[in-house]
Amino acid sequence: MKKEKFTIVTFLCNWCSYEGADRAGSARLNCPANIRVIRVMCSGRVEPQFVIQAFRDGASGVLILGCHPGDCHYKKGNYKARRRIILLKKTLKQFGIEQDRVRLDWVSASEGTRFAKIANEMADTIKQLGPLSELEALN
Amino acid sequence: MQERIGVFVCKCSTNIGNKIDVDSIVSDVSNIENVVTAKSHNVLCSNEGLEFLMNEIREGNLSRMVIAACTPKMYEQRFMNVCEASGLNPYLFQMTNIREQVAWVTPDKDLATEKAKTLCLAAINRISFQESIEKKEIEVQPDVLVIGGGVAGIEATLTLTSRGRKIILVEEDDDSGTPELKQSAQFRKVYLVEKSPCIAGFSGRFEEVYQTMECAPCMLAPELQEVLQKDNVETLTYSEVEEIVGSFGNFTVKIRRKARYVSEEACIGCNACFEPCPVEVMNQNNLGLSKRKAIYIPYAGALPNVPVIDKENCLHLNGKECNACEQACAFGAINFEDKEQIIERNVGAIILAIGSKLSDPTQYPQFGYGKFDNVLSAIQIERLNATNGPTGGKILLKNGQEPKSIAFIYCVGRKEIGYCSGICCMYMSALAQHVKEKLPDVKIYSFYTDLCLPKKEHQRIFEKVLNKGVEFIRSDGSEYVDSDGKQLIVKYKIESSKKSQLIDMVVLAPPIEPNQDIEKLAKLLEIPLDENGFFSEEHILMKPYAAPLEGVFIAGTCQGPKDIGDSVSQASAAAGKILSKLMLGEKLELEPIVAEIDEEICCGCNICIGLCPFSAINRDSERNIAIIDDTLCRGCGTCVAACPSGATKARNFTLEQISAEIREVAK
Ligand code: FES
């Protein structure tokens, strides 16, 4: 069964990217409604399991945003996230999930515009890929 | 027990109210199991709104609460305070952001309402998995270890010990039984550890320092005396830190006290012991420009005014027959039996203020330092200029004559080390000024590539020197010092045309480099050094006074080259931070959102240990598990995400809590 609408589960670190998303709001920039935010303390907290679960529970994309490299509030959490996500993407491919459905990027607390841009790009990407069909492999 | 969840949706007046159909959300969520109240409010963050919440929690006997409103960055804390005041653990409250991240970014009201509803459902889903978290407090040591007795260390010590805490004890008078008020005070103790035999550091001995051209010993003397006389400061000179274990609030430090062979208690500083000592060696304090005895104080006026016997050169200590100093001492202060000791102290925080050093100009052979007699480093000419220096303050060439011309070469080694030391332009200008005052007819050439005059006073000092007739020559940094046998020659280039200048004396401004002890301390504490070898700061802009290890602070030039004023500011900042964190008579409140390890599940794989950016995880080798130090953990959750066996849990961001959210938002 194919869904018409799709969701993008979005993990934002508490210190930079969450505030960046708030800044997009303060500037009244349009962001796609299918971006659904979950706040974590650091992008380093995002475990592969979260991403897999998001797909399994119906998400068509997962967006993870952290502080810019070198700016992580906990020094290196975002580097850890980067390593992990690279590996995860490879694994997801084996389940037939296109790599572009997961995106890891950096947004600082002042970059409202950048947040909105990435959010819209992500929505466009997923729109092009189409909603993720129910995944046998993951269930 | 059945949970009683309250859900409150804020309209933020029209901000949310006009963009989202709040009422439909309220009516939808009120049907969810365990939700006992769901209400909207016009402005929850107002006083009236807070009171409303307080009543709802109390009267509804709520066991959990969800608020959908603006960003938690605004009022989450305020709402948590309301929870606390109403008897609800603040971690049984969850906030979701439907203003900045929904109402303000989603023009379509239906879409916005649907998204906001999803976020509310996710928060309600999550709240059932939230756990109450109690604030944890630990006993801490208010005492502080300051390493380095230079300007920064002295300033920090005085700031830390300036005030005690008044304690009023109520005691019953034994006879009459009437209560009696007794006052006493508790003081913080500072252990000031200095490697050399005296405090005041490097800059503290210079007679005239910019910007005020004041005499540093005079400026510092009252402070040094205060440090030495304070009951709550233990000054450990001629000592080095050998071991540091523990963490913020509770460090145990081992300090090696070298044998001084002169009792600090008995010695009155009369210096009668110097004269009879038959040994003479080069005085490194005067940079080899003069001699000293085997029993000596590093320089006239050094504090504490107690000599030290140099073990390498003393005849007695090398098995020869001599006790000249012992005989000369009327106070029985000489003690050849003195032994090195290791002493232990407990402290809550540490300030590193070990200073820096001027690099050795022989590293830059083009300047002829060490090769030609009259090529001096800046510090050597400072010694010549100083009244307590080898010439009693006269600027003389090696042959005892006054120089007729002097070249000051700035930026020595800057290109090689890759950073500007920031203070040389100023001290070179100050030196040029002094020389000009002593030798009005001397011709001074200042060779520079770039001038660094950033502070409000600098330009004025520079102009003063210019007005004194010092000639500034901007070369391309290729200065080369040679000699024709009689005089020195400075060869240089201006816009690729070669030039040269005959000169009597050359003064070099070598760069400021990290102290040789810095690596040892960095290793002891497991803290990083920056690319230039100075201590790294926790954040170069926001926390330049702290090392990236809780409870360890940095002050003065061990963090990077700086002048006296900046060192004092940084030391005060470090001390101030300690004063505000380690309160006398109080416990230390720990960050509640930290990670914890389930000892039953942990398999001891150690993956988390290497990942922790704060060195908060250690291995318990006996039980073969990892353990988290609550005082160091900051709750980023990186270890949690990496734990292959799911033994690690991030408080308030657990797997169950985040999964519950995902379940709702992914739909
Ligand atoms: S805190 Fe933002 S990525 Fe670590």
Side-chain angles (χ1 to χ4, degrees):
Chain A
M1 180 193 92
K2 275 204 170 181
K3 287 199 295 181
E4 288 309 298
K5 282 193 264 169
F6 60 87
T7 55
I8 299 166
V9 175
T10 305
F11 294 97
L12 301 181
C13 86
N14 183 47
W15 303 98
C16 282
S17 42
Y18 194 90
E19 292 213 15
D22 281 350
R23 209 48 72 85
S26 313
R28 309 296 197 279
L29 304 173
N30 284 354
C31 295
N34 28 31
I35 293 282
R36 307 282 161 90
V37 170
I38 293 177
R39 179 162 67 134
V40 286
M41 290 312 268
C42 174
S43 63
R45 172 69 187 96
V46 179
E47 28 187 311
Q49 197 174 329
F50 294 172
V51 180
I52 295 170
Q53 190 200 331
F55 285 126
R56 204 174 44 199
D57 288 348
S60 295
V62 174
L63 179 59
I64 303 156
L65 300 177
C67 312
H68 282 271
D71 291 352
C72 169
H73 188 74
Y74 308 101
K75 297 198 268 191
K76 291 187 208 139
N78 46 5
Y79 293 118
K80 307 284 151 60
R82 182 160 63 188
R83 292 210 303 232
R84 223 171 263 149
I85 297 307
I86 291 172
L87 202 67
L88 176 69
K89 279 186 169 190
K90 292 200 174 129
T91 320
L92 287 176
K93 214 168 134 194
Q94 298 167 8
F95 291 101
I97 299 178
E98 297 90 337
Q99 301 210 4
D100 288 349
R101 290 193 188 272
V102 181
R103 175 165 175 184
L104 171 70
D105 217 317
W106 324 119
V107 170
S108 80
S110 63
E111 293 176 327
T113 324
R114 185 173 158 83
F115 174 80
K117 182 171 161 271
I118 293 177
N120 282 297
E121 279 172 10
M122 187 67 185
D124 287 345
T125 309
I126 303 300
K127 210 177 282 168
Q128 265 169 27
L129 291 171
L132 192 64
S133 47
E134 301 269 328
L135 281 165
E136 288 303 312
L138 286 178
N139 281 309
Chain B
M1 190 194 83
Q2 193 77 2
E3 293 293 349
R4 298 180 58 80
I5 305 173
V7 181
F8 304 98
V9 186
C10 180
K11 290 187 173 160
C12 193
S13 182
T14 54
N15 278 297
I16 297 173
N18 280 1
K19 304 277 181 174
I20 290 172
D21 184 353
V22 170
D23 294 332
S24 89
I25 297 180
V26 168
S27 83
D28 279 5
V29 301
S30 52
N31 298 326
I32 296 174
E33 203 191 337
N34 292 340
V35 172
V36 292
T37 345
K39 286 182 181 162
S40 67
H41 191 276
N42 205 31
V43 199
L44 273 180
C45 62
S46 64
N47 283 341
E48 191 268 319
L50 299 175
E51 220 155 278
F52 158 82
L53 285 173
M54 216 177 285
N55 276 334
E56 287 290 332
I57 299 174
R58 284 201 185 125
E59 264 143 46
N61 199 13
L62 299 184
S63 64
R64 277 149 210 268
M65 175 169 79
V66 169
I67 290 178
C70 55
T71 170
K73 300 277 170 176
M74 302 272 286
Y75 298 122
E76 188 177 44
Q77 192 54 51
R78 197 181 275 187
F79 295 136
M80 286 172 92
N81 294 346
V82 166
C83 293
E84 217 162 6
S86 324
L88 179 65
N89 187 290
Y91 296 95
L92 296 177
F93 151 64
Q94 176 67 17
M95 193 167 174
T96 191
N97 180 350
I98 59 165
R99 193 179 72 173
E100 280 80 352
Q101 296 185 7
V102 183
W104 284 354
V105 291
T106 322
D108 182 308
K109 192 169 181 177
D110 287 342
L111 285 178
T113 304
E114 195 220 302
K115 181 174 177 184
K117 195 178 293 172
T118 311
L119 292 180
C120 287
L121 293 176
I124 296 167
N125 230 355
R126 182 192 213 276
I127 195 88
S128 312
F129 294 93
Q130 285 182 213
E131 293 165 353
S132 52
I133 300 175
E134 299 306 329
K135 285 197 187 121
K136 208 167 145 190
E137 288 182 326
I138 54 162
E139 296 278 353
V140 282
Q141 268 293 344
D143 300 344
V144 179
L145 171 73
V146 176
I147 310 179
V151 175
I154 298 292
E155 182 62 34
T157 302
L158 290 177
T159 308
L160 285 166
T161 50
S162 59
R163 293 293 283 274
R165 184 177 72 114
K166 211 184 274 172
I167 302 172
I168 299 174
L169 291 172
V170 186
E171 276 183 18
E172 299 245 321
D173 189 306
D174 277 353
D175 305 327
S176 61
T178 47
E180 205 183 310
L181 292 185
K182 278 198 180 157
Q183 266 198 23
S184 74
Q186 183 192 0
F187 284 97
R188 182 187 311 273
K189 197 151 186 175
V190 169
Y191 305 104
L192 177 62
V193 175
E194 165 60 43
K195 189 182 177 189
S196 80
C198 57
I199 53 175
F202 186 61
S203 54
R205 50 177 97 151
F206 299 147
E207 285 189 349
E208 290 178 87
V209 290
Y210 79 83
Q211 289 84 341
T212 53
M213 302 308 162
E214 253 175 280
C215 145
C218 319
M219 220 159 60
L220 278 175
E223 310 227 324
L224 300 179
Q225 289 294 2
E226 199 182 336
V227 162
L228 291 173
Q229 279 158 21
K230 259 196 167 161
D231 286 338
N232 53 332
V233 179
E234 186 180 3
T235 307
L236 299 157
T237 50
Y238 216 34
S239 301
E240 276 178 71
V241 172
E242 293 297 337
E243 192 186 295
I244 302 172
V245 290
S247 55
F248 182 41
N250 293 291
F251 290 103
T252 304
V253 187
K254 283 200 178 127
I255 302 159
R256 186 159 57 89
R257 291 209 77 180
K258 286 176 267 184
R260 191 179 194 113
Y261 304 104
V262 181
S263 155
E264 280 181 65
E265 287 73 48
C267 173
I268 64 145
C270 68
N271 301 352
C273 49
F274 298 167
E275 233 277 300
C277 176
V279 181
E280 273 204 336
V281 289
M282 279 299 176
N283 185 358
Q284 282 317 317
N285 185 65
N286 269 342
L287 299 133
L289 294 169
S290 68
K291 300 207 160 136
R292 65 159 170 82
K293 296 300 182 69
I295 183 165
Y296 70 104
I297 57 169
Y299 54 94
L303 289 173
N305 185 11
V306 177
V308 53
I309 296 182
D310 137 25
K311 189 161 92 189
E312 264 78 71
N313 296 297
C314 168
L315 297 178
H316 186 108
L317 292 172
N318 286 288
K320 311 242 167 59
E321 255 186 48
C322 174
N323 58 352
C325 54
E326 195 175 22
Q327 277 175 356
C329 179
F331 304 92
I334 309 290
N335 172 17
F336 289 121
E337 302 306 313
D338 200 2
K339 288 264 156 3
E340 186 175 287
Q341 300 170 37
I342 299 283
I343 55 176
E344 207 177 278
R345 296 287 181 267
N346 295 317
V347 296
I350 298 169
I351 297 183
L352 303 169
I354 59 167
S356 55
K357 64 168 191 204
L358 280 181
S359 82
D360 177 0
T362 52
Q363 286 178 50
Y364 313 106
Q366 66 270 36
F367 300 105
Y369 183 84
K371 185 169 157 201
F372 305 123
D373 271 350
N374 293 310
V375 179
L376 306 181
S377 74
I379 197 83
Q380 281 173 313
I381 197 167
E382 192 284 334
R383 286 285 85 201
L384 290 184
N385 181 54
T387 51
N388 63 359
T391 53
K394 289 203 184 106
I395 314 286
L396 299 175
L397 294 168
K398 199 73 178 215
N399 63 10
Q401 301 207 319
E402 286 182 354
K404 294 208 171 47
S405 56
I406 306 180
F408 280 78
I409 303 182
Y410 292 47
C411 301
V412 167
R414 190 181 77 170
K415 240 188 272 159
E416 287 87 337
I417 55 164
Y419 56 88
C420 166
S421 294
I423 64 164
C424 332
C425 285
M426 269 303 107
Y427 76 65
M428 289 287 264
S429 298
L431 283 170
Q433 192 181 327
H434 297 315
V435 173
K436 219 39 193 150
E437 271 159 18
K438 284 198 174 152
L439 307 169
D441 295 330
V442 73
K443 178 73 194 156
I444 296 183
Y445 303 93
S446 283
F447 294 93
Y448 71 101
T449 39
D450 292 301
L451 281 174
C452 172
L453 308 169
K455 293 194 166 178
K456 61 181 182 182
E457 290 289 290
H458 289 185
Q459 177 97 7
R460 194 179 50 77
I461 297 171
F462 172 68
E463 278 163 10
K464 215 165 154 188
V465 181
L466 266 186
N467 291 338
K468 287 218 165 203
V470 172
E471 191 177 330
F472 277 80
I473 299 171
R474 183 170 198 171
S475 80
D476 63 353
S478 64
E479 295 92 334
Y480 184 90
V481 179
D482 210 342
S483 166
D484 64 2
K486 276 187 251 141
Q487 259 188 310
L488 297 167
I489 310 166
V490 176
K491 297 181 176 167
Y492 60 101
K493 277 193 288 194
I494 296 182
E495 285 165 6
S496 69
S497 75
K498 288 186 184 167
K499 308 209 181 251
S500 70
Q501 178 66 50
L502 279 173
I503 219 93
D504 289 341
M505 182 187 266
V506 169
V507 177
L508 306 174
I512 292 178
E513 277 186 344
N515 207 317
Q516 55 274 22
D517 295 333
I518 203 161
E519 278 180 23
K520 175 178 156 190
L521 280 169
K523 229 177 250 155
L524 279 183
L525 284 160
E526 291 179 42
I527 53 170
L529 298 177
D530 65 22
E531 54 188 358
N532 301 311
F534 295 100
F535 284 127
S536 282
E537 41 302 276
E538 167 151 13
H539 191 285
I540 195 156
L541 301 175
M542 300 304 291
K543 289 181 178 172
Y545 49 77
L549 176 64
E550 194 71 19
V552 178
F553 297 83
I554 42 181
T557 57
C558 58
Q559 180 249 337
K562 57 176 70 64
D563 64 17
I564 294 176
D566 286 350
S567 293
V568 167
S569 304
Q570 199 180 21
S572 308
K577 284 288 159 185
I578 294 176
L579 290 177
S580 67
K581 284 184 163 189
L582 290 178
M583 304 283 226
L584 276 172
E586 283 185 23
K587 290 183 177 168
L588 181 73
E589 203 178 280
L590 299 180
E591 166 68 52
I593 300 185
V594 291
E596 53 193 337
I597 292 178
D598 187 327
E599 300 182 0
E600 297 291 306
I601 305 176
C602 176
C603 65
C605 71
N606 295 346
I607 286 178
C608 53
I609 297 181
L611 287 176
C612 178
F614 302 101
S615 316
I617 317 181
N618 290 305
R619 192 183 147 71
D620 181 335
S621 45
E622 252 166 53
R623 291 185 290 165
N624 192 27
I625 52 167
I627 41 174
I628 294 179
D629 185 336
D630 276 4
T631 56
L632 298 179
C633 176
R634 304 213 186 160
C636 64
T638 300
C639 57
V640 184
C643 178
S645 43
T648 325
K649 174 168 140 190
R651 280 199 208 138
N652 219 33
F653 290 89
T654 65
L655 176 64
E656 292 76 22
Q657 290 160 8
I658 295 176
S659 287
E661 272 187 272
I662 298 175
R663 256 198 311 282
E664 229 20 85
V665 298
K667 270 185 201 161

